[in-house]
Amino acid sequence: MANWIIIYLALINFFGIYLFREETVPSKKWFSFSSGIAITYFFMYLLPSLNKRQARFVSIG
């Protein structure tokens, strides 16, 4: 489930400029803010899972 959220946020980040007309978007600060949220969520999800896999790899080897 979390993987789909990450993919969805990344697609919004990359293609968000094409979703709205320039006149309807008051500021590009919202895109910057949403990008920061997406990146933060990505690392909050990725780093703990990498830590778990590293601990499992070290205990096996």
Side-chain angles (χ1 to χ4, degrees), residues 4-32:
W4 289 109
I5 294 171
I6 292 170
I7 292 170
Y8 179 70
L9 291 174
L11 289 174
I12 289 174
N13 184 28
F14 290 125
F15 298 112
I17 294 171
Y18 305 111
L19 292 176
F20 304 105
R21 294 185 187 141
E22 189 69 33
E23 304 88 37
T24 60
V25 179
S27 168
K28 291 190 179 186
K29 291 180 183 178
W30 288 108
F31 289 118
S32 177

Side-chain angles (χ1 to χ4, degrees), residues 37-49:
I37 296 293
I39 291 169
T40 301
Y41 181 78
F42 177 75
F43 282 111
M44 296 273 301
Y45 173 76
L46 181 67
L47 291 178
S49 65

